[in-house]
Amino acid sequence: MMNNVLNWFTPSYQTWLHRCNPSLKFLILFAIMLFVFFSRALELYIGYIVCLSILLWSSCGFPIRKIALLHIPILFSSLSSGISLTLFGRGNDVLWQWWIIKISSESIHSGILIGTKSLLIGIIGLLLLLTSPPVKLLYSFMQQLRFPAKYAYAFLAGLRLVPFMIEEVQLRRRALRIRRVQRPTGITAVYTTIKLYSIPLIAQAIRRAHRIGIAMVAKQFNQQRTYYYITGFSWHDAAFVIFALACTFVTMLFTAL
């Protein structure tokens, strides 16, 4: 199951965006997100959405169907946040009101801003997720940003343990089914289900974590180590920087008009 999920997030082909340095890509996208987060210009949001969407749809290496499906939760989040602020926002120029629902000109403007900002932040996160493998990203953090290796390797070990956790849950479910343990019902159903699953899973996780910790100490993961994957900079990074600067220039020009 986990392998199917990982394969689903594997690109069909590599593009120039996958060959960019992940740390540089992360810093540029994070800077754009901070710049957008503290801004209240709708034209700025629209400009970045258009530019980054063109980059995402043309250079992420995924089929159009997958990209469209991954946009569904982002669109749902942006719409829900925008509509909620529109219906329950504050404002003096009230257009329509019923009970706790109050729609005003200020709330409509704020709802559009929040919804568009949520959409843009989702596109930024999706662009980084689809074009930066987690292993390569963490290796780049360790080499370019001097991120402590013990935390990076611990995070990588946690990622590798996710399939084992899913497998343990499946084994526990099958064991309960073989032993004819009835599914609880009523008010105490949630508590009983948590007790049936949590204690064995926590015990197994502690044993597995203890073995991994001993193995990492034995292999001296707390010492200075060499890297299996070497990350560096190339002309792809220069192209990404130029695109980000051009996108910012076009967006600021669009905002000034």
Side-chain angles (χ1 to χ4, degrees):
M1 178 180 177
M2 188 62 186
N3 292 330
N4 294 333
V5 174
L6 294 178
N7 292 333
W8 204 84
F9 280 95
T10 302
S12 302
Y13 57 93
Q14 297 285 326
T15 65
W16 68 273
L17 202 56
H18 294 88
R19 300 181 181 91
C20 293
N21 187 278
S23 296
L24 179 65
K25 193 190 313 178
F26 171 80
L27 291 177
I28 292 177
L29 292 177
F30 186 71
I32 293 175
M33 187 176 65
L34 286 181
F35 179 59
V36 167
F37 187 79
F38 292 103
S39 174
R40 292 185 60 85
L42 181 61
E43 297 82 2
L44 185 70
Y45 304 160
I46 297 176
Y48 272 121
I49 287 175
V50 173
C51 294
L52 295 180
S53 295
I54 293 174
L55 182 64
L56 175 63
W57 286 78
S58 62
S59 303
C60 71
F62 282 82
I64 297 179
R65 180 181 62 87
K66 285 187 178 182
I67 303 176
L69 289 176
L70 291 172
H71 273 75
I72 293 177
I74 298 175
L75 292 173
F76 178 78
S77 175
S78 61
L79 286 175
S80 61
S81 59
I83 293 174
S84 299
L85 192 59
T86 301
L87 295 179
F88 305 102
R90 297 178 180 179
N92 297 323
D93 186 13
V94 179
L95 302 177
W96 185 76
Q97 183 175 4
W98 178 75
W99 196 32
I100 61 174
I101 299 176
K102 184 175 70 172
I103 301 177
S104 61
S105 301
E106 294 85 354
S107 67
I108 293 176
H109 181 69
S110 300
I112 294 175
L113 284 178
I114 293 298
T116 312
K117 183 183 294 187
S118 301
L119 178 61
L120 176 56
I121 293 176
I123 292 175
I124 292 175
L126 194 61
L127 181 62
L128 182 65
L129 173 66
L130 297 183
T131 60
S132 302
V135 175
K136 189 176 179 180
L137 180 63
L138 288 173
Y139 269 91
S140 179
F141 278 2
M142 288 187 287
Q143 296 174 37
Q144 273 75 53
L145 302 182
R146 298 296 184 265
F147 189 74
K150 58 181 180 180
Y151 299 118
Y153 284 123
F155 186 78
L156 285 176
L159 287 178
R160 300 299 184 188
L161 287 178
V162 172
F164 295 103
M165 295 172 59
I166 296 177
E167 184 181 358
E168 291 292 339
V169 173
Q170 294 174 348
L171 290 176
R172 182 61 179 170
R173 185 184 297 115
R174 293 167 186 169
L176 293 175
R177 190 179 304 168
I178 292 174
R179 295 173 185 174
R180 298 182 182 276
V181 177
Q182 299 294 329
R183 178 175 296 181
T185 57
I187 301 177
T188 61
V190 177
Y191 171 75
T192 306
T193 304
I194 292 176
K195 186 171 66 173
L196 287 174
Y197 282 89
S198 61
I199 297 177
L201 292 178
I202 291 175
Q204 184 66 21
I206 292 174
R207 288 194 294 265
R208 193 182 299 275
H210 181 68
R211 291 196 297 267
I212 292 176
I214 293 176
M216 293 181 71
V217 171
K219 294 182 178 180
Q220 297 183 355
F221 272 82
N222 56 343
Q223 304 295 330
Q224 185 66 29
R225 299 174 57 87
T226 57
Y227 301 106
Y228 184 78
Y229 299 102
I230 305 298
T231 58
F233 298 97
S234 63
W235 67 268
H236 303 94
D237 303 297
F240 185 74
V241 172
I242 292 173
F243 177 85
L245 293 176
C247 180
T248 303
F249 175 76
V250 172
T251 303
M252 296 296 293
L253 184 63
F254 177 69
T255 305
L257 293 178

